[in-house]
Amino acid sequence: MTPAALADLVRSSAVQVLTARGLDHSVLPDPVTIERPRNPEHGDYATNLALQVAKKVGLAPRELAEALAAELTAAEGIASAEVAGPGFLNLRLAADAQGELVRRVLSAGRDYGRGDALAGTRINLEFVSANPTGPIHLGGTRWAAVGDALGRLLAAQGAEITREYYINDAGAQIDRFARSLIAAALGEPAPEDGYAGSYINDIAAEVLRKEPSALTKPEDERHAIFRQAGVSLMLEEIKRTLHEFGTDFDVFFSEASLHESGSVAEVVERLKEAGSLYFADDAWWLRSTDHGDDKDRVVLKSDGTPAYIAADIAYLRDKFERGFDLCIYMLGADHHGYIPRLKAAAAGLGHDPGAVEVLIGQLVNLVSGGKPVRMSKRAGNVVTLEDLVEAVGVDAARYELCRYSVDSILDIDLDLLRKHTNENPVFYVQYAHARLASLQRNAAELGLRTQADADLGLLTHPREGDLIRTIGEFPTVLRKAAELREPHRVARYLESLASAYHKFYDVARVLPQGDEEATPLTHARLALCEAARQVLANGLSLLGVSAPERM
């Protein structure tokens, strides 16, 4: 019995209790909250349902809890239901009902944990979107890991996900990039407001290899060559780096295309006609204060040129025109102001502001030997995605970046992530999976295989029950992580599952030794171990982290 199934049983039992007393059962929450008690001695699960609804139906909480306990005690799969305190209800499952969860995992395999909460929802998920003027820095790297994991989580709840990268290939920063490349090609220092680092020299050399006569062209033509070729080469490098990191995109959308197609000018005129902009001080303004902004924002400047937000509005309109129900933006720590601006843009376009979500990610720092790591071998003044991967590998980098809420500043301890010990969280989880895979190999050498019809009612040891109940939490963890846009919940869950498995393995021998024969308990425990391995693999996959079979 899964926690969700137990919640349904508790609710249906409460309906029976209230109906028998002629009381209104519409006050019952759906779903009913089911939790695991902090103290295992209190039971397998607990609910405060009686405390929630008793007053609404005119009963004392304990009176309702006792009636509900009597109803549940008679239900199939419930070993006991006991009232505690002012009206809490502690529940214990029958061993065979609890063991059925193992069978469900074995049957579902890689699909265990998935749900349909977002079925039919089309989501545009935009993340990373680093300017094509240099390698991806640590802030973008955090989004590459977390954004990809979030996309996997949303898809696991049935959503149709489009992963999108917005290429900021218009504006002053691209001109500075082009000037920096030209300076490098000429052997001159980088402009004061330009970009430095060995990657600039590499790209400049590649532009000259493709366009040997570029430096002999008139200034405007030369600038255009380095601008176009440089952005193209940098974007290719970004795509390669992300792919090697396990992050791929469905769409790369060019900001410049919005200007070239006339979309920016068109959306400004449309907003004027709709009355979504107002004219003041010789400029056209968006009423972003209506959505929490500290001031309204200029969309069309007094000289008639569009402000940067105009392209953002045109881009959002393009997303809605492509049929997305929800547009999620994952932006850096300095982009808090974009939340009300984008919601105001959605409203101005005639859409629900709630169809726009903005997640803000905080800064990432690297620490080694107790000291901050500040310089990159290639980029010079910033630490990049490639620097982090070179230091600890893709798996450790992705897991550590996904392990914390994105609204907190993250200090990554490189020395810890290099350790092959249980102090290293990713090693701890991966080792649990490798240990379980090794167990299956050893079982196969003894001629044993996981049996779907094993007698799972034999799994009565407290550590077995704890492991089963932890496995049972997985679907709820995934649903909540997707709902709250918090992949770190999956990482923390995997660590608790690995802990539950290690504690189980320390007290419960699985395979026969010497001349011993396999028993029904052997097969039940082997099934439990395979279920635990499957859930670890499923969870790691959702984080984009490998589940090694040997370590």
Side-chain angles (χ1 to χ4, degrees):
M1 183 180 294
T2 65
L6 179 59
D8 289 341
L9 175 60
V10 171
R11 191 177 192 282
S12 64
S13 297
V15 169
Q16 293 291 332
V17 168
L18 295 177
T19 300
R21 287 162 172 73
L23 301 173
D24 180 14
H25 62 74
S26 67
V27 299
L28 294 171
D30 190 11
V32 168
T33 299
I34 297 290
E35 297 179 327
R36 291 176 62 185
R38 292 183 180 180
N39 185 347
E41 294 180 2
H42 293 166
D44 299 331
Y45 297 98
T47 181
N48 64 349
L49 179 63
L51 290 166
Q52 283 183 288
V53 304
K55 288 185 179 180
K56 297 177 182 178
V57 295
L59 294 177
R62 235 190 123 80
E63 180 185 356
L64 178 56
E66 288 170 352
L68 188 54
E71 185 76 21
L72 284 165
T73 300
E76 185 178 355
I78 302 296
S80 68
E82 300 173 352
V83 180
F88 291 101
L89 196 60
N90 294 329
L91 306 170
R92 292 187 189 278
L93 300 184
D96 54 349
Q98 186 167 253
E100 279 303 308
L101 179 62
V102 173
R103 212 178 315 277
R104 176 173 296 202
V105 176
L106 298 180
S107 174
R110 286 181 293 183
D111 289 333
Y112 177 70
R114 293 176 175 268
D116 58 4
L118 294 172
T121 305
R122 296 192 63 206
I123 299 177
N124 181 285
L125 180 62
E126 185 209 322
F127 59 107
V128 182
S129 298
N131 291 343
T133 55
I136 295 175
H137 55 68
L138 286 179
T141 304
R142 187 176 202 175
W143 278 141
V146 177
D148 184 64
L150 179 57
R152 294 168 188 244
L153 276 169
L154 295 172
Q157 294 302 308
E160 181 184 335
I161 303 295
T162 295
R163 296 164 176 82
E164 190 148 315
Y165 188 116
Y166 185 53
I167 309 166
N168 297 109
D169 54 356
Q173 81 277 6
I174 300 297
D175 288 326
R176 293 198 300 271
F177 179 57
R179 290 197 301 271
S180 302
L181 294 175
I182 292 170
L186 292 170
E188 299 174 354
E192 187 174 337
D193 62 348
Y195 297 88
S198 63
Y199 78 94
I200 290 290
N201 295 324
D202 295 340
I203 293 175
E206 184 63 16
V207 173
L208 288 178
R209 189 187 70 78
K210 292 187 172 185
E211 298 281 351
S213 62
L215 291 176
T216 67
K217 302 290 185 182
E219 185 175 343
D220 287 351
E221 188 175 346
R222 178 177 65 181
H223 184 87
I225 290 172
F226 276 90
R227 179 187 173 104
Q228 181 177 357
V231 167
S232 178
L233 289 167
M234 192 70 251
L235 190 58
E236 286 179 16
E237 179 75 359
I238 287 171
K239 289 179 180 179
R240 178 194 63 78
T241 304
L242 288 168
H243 176 72
E244 291 176 356
F245 194 59
T247 300
D248 293 296
F249 290 84
D250 304 302
V251 174
F252 284 84
F253 193 102
S254 163
E255 177 191 355
S257 71
L258 293 169
H259 295 277
E260 293 163 1
S261 67
S263 180
V264 173
E266 181 186 333
V267 80
V268 170
E269 291 305 312
R270 176 175 162 181
L271 290 173
K272 286 182 186 178
E273 294 170 2
S276 297
L277 302 182
Y278 68 90
F279 187 75
D281 299 328
D282 297 324
W284 288 90
W285 302 72
L286 177 69
R287 292 183 176 85
S288 54
T289 51
D290 290 350
H291 298 272
D293 205 353
D294 58 345
K295 61 181 180 180
D296 289 342
R297 300 291 167 173
V298 173
V299 175
L300 197 64
K301 301 176 186 176
S302 58
D303 63 2
T305 59
Y308 190 81
I309 193 176
D312 290 334
I313 299 172
Y315 181 38
L316 180 58
R317 183 185 70 160
D318 185 272
K319 291 182 178 183
F320 284 130
E321 288 180 344
R322 282 185 274 155
F324 292 108
D325 303 304
L326 177 63
C327 299
I328 300 177
Y329 292 77
M330 307 180 80
L331 304 177
D334 57 344
H335 286 70
H336 272 283
Y338 275 71
I339 299 174
R341 290 174 220 174
L342 288 170
K343 288 187 175 293
L349 293 167
H351 294 276
D352 179 3
V356 171
E357 287 185 21
V358 181
L359 307 181
I360 301 294
Q362 293 299 321
L363 301 176
V364 181
N365 304 305
L366 296 189
V367 178
S368 182
K371 298 179 180 179
V373 178
R374 300 190 185 281
M375 300 293 285
S376 168
K377 295 177 182 177
R378 188 158 177 259
N381 59 342
V382 295
V383 181
T384 69
L385 184 158
E386 288 182 297
D387 296 323
L388 178 58
V389 169
E390 182 180 348
V392 300
V394 170
D395 279 348
R398 286 185 67 111
Y399 189 92
E400 186 72 359
L401 289 164
C402 287
R403 189 172 180 256
Y404 298 88
S405 172
V406 295
D407 58 11
S408 61
I409 294 175
L410 173 58
D411 292 323
I412 295 180
D413 187 339
L414 297 180
D415 301 320
L416 174 64
L417 293 183
R418 292 187 184 111
K419 290 183 178 179
H420 286 191
T421 69
N422 288 342
E423 296 175 74
N424 178 352
V426 67
F427 178 87
Y428 184 65
V429 173
Q430 287 183 316
Y431 177 64
H433 183 272
R435 195 177 189 183
L436 283 158
S438 174
L439 177 69
Q440 296 297 332
R441 289 194 301 273
N442 293 338
E445 290 175 2
L446 296 173
L448 303 176
R449 60 180 181 80
T450 301
Q451 296 180 355
D453 60 351
D455 184 357
L456 301 174
L458 297 172
L459 299 174
T460 58
H461 191 284
R463 291 299 187 195
E464 292 167 341
D466 187 51
L467 180 54
I468 292 171
R469 288 187 290 277
T470 304
I471 289 171
E473 293 173 2
F474 187 56
T476 301
V477 169
L478 296 193
R479 180 181 54 78
K480 204 69 176 175
E483 177 186 325
L484 298 176
R485 322 300 190 225
E486 293 182 342
H488 70 271
R489 290 173 175 268
V490 179
R492 299 298 178 150
Y493 164 81
L494 292 175
E495 290 162 37
S496 69
L497 177 57
S499 174
Y501 168 68
H502 289 309
K503 290 175 181 176
F504 154 78
Y505 192 81
D506 287 343
V507 299
R509 182 154 56 88
V510 178
L511 299 180
Q513 296 179 349
D515 295 332
E516 293 178 352
E517 293 289 330
T519 66
L521 181 58
T522 301
H523 289 289
R525 286 179 170 171
L526 196 57
L528 172 58
C529 288
E530 174 57 16
R533 186 208 63 76
Q534 184 68 67
V535 175
L536 284 168
N538 291 1
L540 285 168
S541 176
L542 288 170
L543 298 178
V545 177
S546 70
E549 298 198 352
R550 290 179 170 84
M551 290 182 71

